[in-house]
Amino acid sequence: MTAPIRYAIVGAGSRSMMYSQALLDQFSDQGELVAYCDVNPARMAFMNRYYQESLGAKPVATYPPQGFQQMLEEQRVQVVIVCSVDRTHHRYIIQTLEAGRDAITEKPMTIDAEKCQAILDTIARTGRKLRVTFNYRYSPRNSQVKELLASGVIGEVISVHFEWLLDTSHGADYFRRWHRDKRNSGGLMVHKATHHFDLVNWWLGSRPELVFGLGALRYYGRENAEARGVVTPYFRYTGSEAAKSDPFALDLADDETLRALYLEAEPHDGYQRDQNVLGDGISIEDDMAVLVRYASKTTLTYHLTAYSPWEGYRVAFNGNQGRLEYLVVENPFVERAVPVDPRLVQHAVIDSVDRTEIVIYPLFGKPRRVEPAKSSGGHGGGDERLLRDLLVAVERDPLGRAANHVDGAFSILTGIAANQSFATGLPVRIADLVRF
């Protein structure tokens, strides 16, 4: 019997828990979690305590970032899973590959063209492997769309219109956290839209060539709030009496996990997880429009809204034999923390939690609905299937859902080009950003 692969996780924040849980529980016979590496010792201590109490797992070794190489050697690490702040992904990926190990990274692979080039060069030099965790590829309903398009149901795809809506719960959270500083995340064009651009690249089986974009901060931030007559003088929410009437308020003390992972960990690194989304210090956009031309000559119009009343996405594919429309409602509404005048509320409330629709419109014929594939669990059922593909030897996948460094690069290059276009007002060629 083959010994389990030895894994280390870099970045012990909430997203890393998906991998910790899998390695310490359902896939423990396939992989062994042997170490955490994080800037915050309290966060790593919580992880060990949490899994000891919930799963009876033995504590694993913990290391600060300066002990990363020591961790690789002492713990005989074979694969590193990178879940750290986006701007540090390249650092851990490159160190891992140069040490003769393979890496798995959370999206985005990195945040700018220079760091992307450094990763590509390291892979070319070392021959090691990097996987990028695009869980949306593994969602059964997204896989179904891939199959439908590949079957030729609408012929050759000529254009795509893609609208992604982040609601005032999930969307707002990016403006509370480290993501609000573009130097950390590359903005939502990179951090979030990497999911969406990867889906289009994968659905089409093509790669972006030319990008033009327009983006701005129009809803969050102090100036926008004050223009609407809203004044929020507090910097953070936790512990502020004035913030209790704010519909965006997040009190870290109210949640056991958030309290342990962030509030009680603050003395070690100063990071505040609950910053005011209507305050100062935000350098990312919340409303973005992008136009992309692909190598296949297909065009994409894309829009990302981060302040929507509901969450989900609409995609329309126009082909030379018809049109495919795809709707996913992940969350139909957000409850306000502040009471609303009942006279202003419409009574026909949509209470569906998750809704999916696929409709095919032939050029010459009646439209038909397609029964969507069942998608339950994190990211539309993608998380569990992704983990199985990453941690267990699986059979050949005709859909090609496993994403490597090239997929990771092309998923972020559209967003990186869009950021450059936001700044210059000019279109950007992908070929001018990096060399493959």
Side-chain angles (χ1 to χ4, degrees):
M1 183 177 177
T2 306
I5 296 172
R6 298 174 67 83
Y7 291 88
I9 294 177
V10 181
S14 56
R15 185 60 185 163
S16 73
M17 297 180 79
M18 179 177 83
Y19 304 99
S20 299
Q21 178 80 28
L23 289 168
L24 294 170
D25 191 9
Q26 66 264 46
F27 299 121
S28 59
D29 59 335
Q30 303 288 329
E32 181 182 3
L33 179 61
V34 298
Y36 286 114
C37 178
D38 195 274
V39 296
N40 197 302
R43 203 167 291 139
M44 293 187 288
F46 167 77
M47 288 295 184
N48 272 330
R49 185 171 67 252
Y50 177 83
Y51 289 112
Q52 189 172 23
E53 293 173 355
S54 62
L55 297 176
K58 294 180 180 179
V60 304
T62 58
Y63 293 82
Q66 57 269 32
F68 182 78
Q69 294 291 342
Q70 179 186 355
M71 175 191 73
L72 294 180
E73 298 301 325
E74 287 184 351
Q75 302 304 323
R76 307 189 314 280
V77 175
Q78 295 170 278
V79 179
V80 173
I81 302 175
V82 180
C83 301
S84 57
V85 173
D86 296 351
R87 65 176 167 78
T88 66
H89 283 188
H90 73 294
R91 181 187 312 162
Y92 296 115
I93 291 169
I94 290 171
Q95 288 183 61
T96 297
L97 303 179
E98 289 182 337
R101 278 79 167 178
D102 293 333
I104 296 169
T105 184
E106 262 294 313
K107 60 80 193 166
M109 188 172 80
T110 188
I111 64 168
D112 60 40
E114 181 181 8
K115 296 179 179 65
C116 181
Q117 188 68 66
I119 292 172
L120 296 176
D121 291 346
T122 302
I123 291 172
R125 184 174 65 253
T126 64
R128 304 305 305 188
K129 294 179 180 179
L130 172 65
R131 290 280 299 271
V132 185
T133 59
F134 290 120
N135 39 21
Y136 268 111
R137 288 188 178 201
Y138 292 83
S139 169
R141 57 196 176 199
N142 290 336
S143 296
Q144 183 181 16
V145 170
K146 169 78 169 175
E147 291 172 330
L148 286 168
L149 294 173
S151 75
V153 69
I154 61 168
E156 178 188 356
V157 179
I158 296 172
S159 66
V160 183
H161 177 69
F162 194 151
E163 179 185 30
W164 197 288
L165 302 168
L166 292 168
D167 64 28
T168 49
S169 174
H170 182 192
D173 212 33
Y174 294 110
F175 297 83
R176 297 187 186 99
R177 300 184 280 170
W178 52 263
H179 309 72
R180 73 204 316 257
D181 186 337
K182 205 166 191 175
R183 295 171 298 180
N184 287 331
S185 63
L188 293 179
M189 273 289 93
V190 174
H191 176 82
K192 187 63 183 175
T194 182
H195 266 317
H196 317 151
F197 297 137
D198 176 70
L199 276 177
V200 178
N201 297 348
W202 178 63
W203 279 331
L204 296 179
S206 188
R207 292 171 177 173
E209 285 189 336
L210 187 70
V211 178
F212 176 75
L214 297 169
L217 181 66
R218 297 295 308 276
Y219 182 81
Y220 299 106
R222 181 177 175 180
E223 289 186 9
N224 292 318
E226 289 181 347
R228 298 193 299 270
V230 178
V231 177
T232 57
Y234 35 88
F235 174 77
R236 64 179 307 184
Y237 295 118
T238 302
S240 170
E241 284 297 319
K244 290 184 177 179
S245 61
D246 187 333
F248 293 105
L250 172 69
D251 194 326
L252 298 177
D254 286 345
D255 181 273
E256 181 181 353
T257 301
L258 291 177
R259 183 172 65 248
L261 274 179
Y262 301 107
L263 186 60
E264 294 173 357
E266 282 181 16
H268 297 280
D269 60 11
Y271 173 55
Q272 294 179 327
R273 169 70 175 75
D274 61 336
Q275 297 174 65
N276 182 1
V277 303
L278 301 181
D280 290 318
I282 297 172
S283 57
I284 65 173
E285 300 83 9
D286 57 20
D287 195 280
M288 295 139 277
V290 180
L291 180 63
V292 184
R293 187 185 71 208
Y294 280 79
S296 62
K297 306 308 177 187
T298 305
T299 56
L300 164 71
T301 52
Y302 170 84
H303 200 281
L304 175 60
T305 301
Y307 51 91
S308 172
W310 66 274
E311 177 143 340
Y313 48 105
R314 301 177 188 269
V315 194
F317 302 87
N318 297 301
N320 60 10
Q321 295 180 34
R323 175 180 171 95
L324 188 155
E325 294 185 356
Y326 178 39
L327 166 69
V328 176
V329 178
E330 294 181 327
N331 186 34
F333 67 95
V334 176
E335 293 276 15
R336 284 180 58 112
V338 180
V340 180
D341 186 336
R343 292 170 297 180
L344 302 179
V345 178
Q346 298 295 319
H347 293 288
V349 176
I350 298 172
D351 58 5
S352 169
V353 175
D354 194 314
R355 181 163 58 98
T356 304
E357 295 177 2
I358 301 174
V359 183
I360 295 172
Y361 296 86
L363 274 186
F364 303 102
K366 294 180 179 179
R368 62 183 175 91
R369 291 188 181 275
V370 176
E371 182 66 26
K374 300 298 181 184
S375 299
S376 61
H379 292 90
D383 284 353
E384 181 181 349
R385 291 167 176 82
L386 167 70
L387 288 168
R388 181 168 295 280
D389 193 22
L390 287 172
L391 306 177
V392 183
V394 296
E395 298 178 358
R396 187 182 68 86
D397 180 5
L399 294 180
R401 287 174 292 192
N404 62 15
H405 62 287
V406 176
D407 301 310
F410 277 108
S411 76
I412 56 174
L413 287 170
T414 300
I416 290 168
N419 280 334
Q420 186 173 318
S421 186
F422 292 170
T424 64
L426 300 172
V428 177
R429 285 170 41 86
I430 296 295
D432 293 336
L433 297 176
V434 298
R435 305 176 311 280
F436 284 91

